[in-house]
Amino acid sequence: MRRYDSDLIDEARELWRAGQGDPGDLPGIRSEERACGPFSLSEVEVLTPQGAEQVGKPEGLYLTLSLEALLPRRTAQFSQAVEAVAEQVARLLPPEAEQVLVVGLGNRAVTPDAVGPRTADRVLVTRHLVEQMPEVFGAFRPVSALAAGVLGVTGLESGQVVQAVAGALKPDAVIAVDALCARSVRRLGSTVQFSNTGIVPGSGVGNARFALTEETLGVPVVAVGVPTVVRAEVLAAQWGGQPEGQEDLASLLVTPKEIDALVADVSKLLGYGISMALQRGLRLEDLEALLS
């Protein structure tokens, strides 16, 4: 597959079109744009191996929620953003999935990479309650959460940790959350990509690890990600940097100066949205009370 130095399928499509000089749809790919409340939603379905080769992404359905309208006043539209996230997760989750494992990928100690673990902290965990007090919590979907860590900290591949836990719990589906790499600064913290294709941690920054897919885990995997970094060499090229100096930037990643606040906001948004998708009767007020 081609590589576009981005985890976002929308950016891969844009680059393919620019390279071909063709503004139309790619062969083997179906796409549409529509509104999702005050936000915009891009829906892309990769239908054939040819389409997968062109965009460098596996065959499957990708939903990209653009939250630019949320940025100027985060709190004013937070409820709508949570509902939009919940809608996309619920759409991709298999309807027969009763027990679900939510996995936060990444390194909690590195802020741009902490979206996954911090989202796992914000998910309403109910598996133990359903098992121990079914008379009270029997109406809840059994949900478990795991922050898998990274190889450099635990000595274990995160994917293998998830595989082992999934093998023991036997969930009906896995939701994997990770930080992503983008090509555009304007997408950082303001774009959420969902897919039913699973996820390969670290692929966007050239450090691909054990894949979390239906093939490796034995159950459907819904991937949720938000970009937090851009490659420095990509920015240099976009802003007219000199080619002879760009090799020095190959190992550098750029992240916003307000990354701490951005990751905190995004993690809360994703955790609440996923929880609302999994427990359909709950409102934002309920989640605030249960998770605060």
Side-chain angles (χ1 to χ4, degrees):
M1 289 187 180
R2 300 186 186 196
R3 177 179 168 182
Y4 291 104
D5 292 320
S6 172
D7 291 314
L8 301 177
I9 195 166
D10 279 359
E11 292 187 330
R13 289 169 61 219
E14 291 167 3
L15 283 169
W16 188 91
R17 287 170 172 171
Q20 300 293 317
D22 182 1
D25 266 344
L26 286 65
I29 291 179
R30 178 189 65 81
S31 65
E32 66 174 288
E33 310 279 338
R34 60 183 175 85
C36 182
F39 314 115
S40 60
L41 180 71
S42 164
E43 178 176 323
V44 178
E45 188 171 11
V46 181
L47 301 168
T48 66
Q50 180 189 10
E53 172 64 26
Q54 288 164 346
V55 295
K57 309 294 178 189
E59 294 175 52
L61 180 61
Y62 298 80
L63 307 172
T64 304
L65 189 64
S66 188
L67 301 175
E68 287 90 348
L70 180 67
L71 297 183
R73 297 176 60 193
R74 292 182 183 276
T75 56
Q77 292 181 315
F78 181 74
S79 176
Q80 292 172 302
V82 169
E83 292 173 2
V85 169
E87 179 183 336
Q88 311 320 313
V89 172
R91 180 177 174 188
L92 294 178
L93 196 68
E96 69 278 6
E98 179 61 22
Q99 182 178 178
V100 176
L101 172 63
V102 180
V103 176
L105 301 169
N107 189 340
R108 188 185 296 274
V110 179
T111 304
D113 197 31
V115 170
R118 295 190 188 182
T119 296
D121 294 341
R122 292 286 192 171
V123 169
L124 181 62
V125 175
T126 57
R127 177 177 176 271
H128 60 306
L129 300 174
V130 173
E131 289 184 353
Q132 295 171 12
M133 293 180 284
E135 68 282 0
V136 178
F137 296 98
F140 284 75
R141 188 197 306 254
V143 175
S144 308
L146 169 69
V150 293
L151 180 65
V153 175
T154 65
L156 302 168
E157 286 281 4
S158 58
Q160 293 174 324
V161 173
V162 177
Q163 189 180 52
V165 172
L169 293 182
K170 294 180 170 46
D172 300 307
V174 169
I175 299 175
V177 183
D178 200 4
L180 305 180
C181 179
R183 292 180 59 89
S184 171
V185 172
R186 67 180 176 82
R187 291 187 178 272
L188 300 184
S190 65
T191 296
V192 188
Q193 178 173 274
F194 310 82
S195 77
N196 61 0
T197 63
I199 195 167
V200 180
S203 59
V205 295
N207 186 33
R209 315 304 299 179
F210 186 99
L212 302 180
T213 64
E214 186 167 1
E215 289 71 28
T216 60
L217 300 184
V219 296
V221 179
V222 176
V224 182
V226 173
T228 58
V229 296
V230 177
R231 286 179 174 272
E233 59 181 330
V234 171
L235 287 183
Q238 292 173 351
W239 295 344
Q242 297 301 314
E244 61 270 15
Q246 289 185 25
E247 62 271 12
D248 297 331
L249 304 177
S251 62
L252 300 182
L253 298 172
V254 178
T255 196
K257 64 181 181 180
E258 67 274 13
I259 187 63
D260 296 87
L262 185 149
V263 168
D265 290 344
V266 164
S267 301
K268 184 177 180 181
L269 170 67
L270 296 184
Y272 282 21
I274 290 170
S275 297
M276 188 177 288
L278 295 177
Q279 314 295 348
R280 297 301 288 176
L282 293 184
R283 301 168 300 169
L284 180 60
E285 295 78 8
D286 302 321
L287 292 171
E288 291 278 11
L290 291 167
L291 294 170
S292 60

